[in-house]
Amino acid sequence: MTVIVQKKLKHIKILWLGPLFTDALLLKFPGALSPAGVRWNRSLVSGLLQNGAEIRNLYHLPKRVWPFGTLRVEVPEPDELKKSYGSRWAPYWNVPILRPYSLKSAYVRAFRFILATFRPEVVMTYNFVKQNDTVGLLARNMGIHWVNILADIHGKNPNLRKFEPAAKNASGHVFLSWAAYQESPWPNKIHLDSGVNRIFENADREPGLIVYTGGINVVTGIELLAKAFALVKHP
């Protein structure tokens, strides 16, 4: 999905706390992340870059908790992420109970390391999670704006109260769910619509294959999508 950014951003500096994994890394670590979520992040960041933003990325490599996964999750091998986004990885101890605290500590250290050479005007986080909330609050205390993208919430009556302790500290909020946007009591909020990043120019081409990478359940809109496909003469 591609998000259209209409206004030039005049080289605004953004620190992005969200997954910008390459397809090669997704294939190398299957099950670590949602391909749909990763591609959504990459598409939005691509739109920001095309409109003049300067972006650095801070994230970690998710794995199943030990003993099912690695005890110590280190930085993955260098790849195109570092070249494209100046990515900084956060290594952590992947054990029950300790993991969220280890992640928070790793993110704080990485954030301070990044600040030595790159001071963002905005920290953008993908969902309210402990490490994102900690860095976002640190940024606010330094006079840096913090904008959170709340993606992983669904349903006609979303429960936003659990996010209140973190949300009250953020400068602004981006919602993918229209219901969550309407229910949110937080100021400085927008609802972000998405779209396709390619439209077939040749209407006479043979019907092709469509790959759906989202969840298959009642809250994702898959039934509406299936009905919409029936209306398209040339997919």
Side-chain angles (χ1 to χ4, degrees), residues 59-165:
Y59 206 62
H60 65 284
L61 181 64
K63 287 194 174 183
R64 290 188 67 190
V65 68
W66 182 85
F68 304 102
T70 309
L71 176 62
R72 172 76 175 173
V73 181
E74 298 290 349
V75 177
E77 297 176 6
D79 57 28
E80 291 299 313
L81 283 178
K82 192 168 184 62
K83 184 191 300 183
S84 301
Y85 309 111
S87 293
R88 181 77 184 175
W89 295 93
Y92 61 99
W93 291 102
N94 190 33
V95 296
I97 301 176
L98 177 61
R99 178 166 69 174
Y101 300 99
S102 181
L103 272 171
K104 280 203 308 183
S105 177
Y107 267 63
V108 168
R109 289 195 303 272
F111 178 54
R112 288 174 174 161
F113 181 89
I114 291 169
L115 287 176
T117 56
F118 180 83
R119 184 177 176 84
E121 297 165 68
V122 181
V123 169
M124 297 195 70
T125 55
Y126 185 69
N127 286 317
F128 287 119
V129 290
K130 288 184 178 180
Q131 62 269 18
N132 288 354
D133 301 347
T134 301
V135 172
L137 182 57
L138 275 175
R140 285 301 307 274
N141 291 337
M142 295 177 181
I144 300 170
H145 297 295
W146 170 28
V147 177
N148 183 69
I149 299 172
L150 188 56
D152 294 341
I153 188 165
H154 309 286
K156 294 182 179 180
N157 298 296
N159 180 13
L160 300 175
R161 286 178 296 178
K162 61 182 178 180
F163 302 116
E164 184 63 33

Side-chain angles (χ1 to χ4, degrees), residues 2-5 16 40 44 124 149 173-178 181 189-195:
T2 293
V3 178
I4 300 175
V5 181
W16 188 274
W40 189 93
L44 180 52
M124 297 195 70
I149 299 172
H173 308 273
V174 178
F175 292 91
L176 306 190
S177 162
W178 176 246
Y181 169 79
K189 61 180 181 178
I190 64 170
H191 173 252
L192 191 61
D193 279 319
S194 297

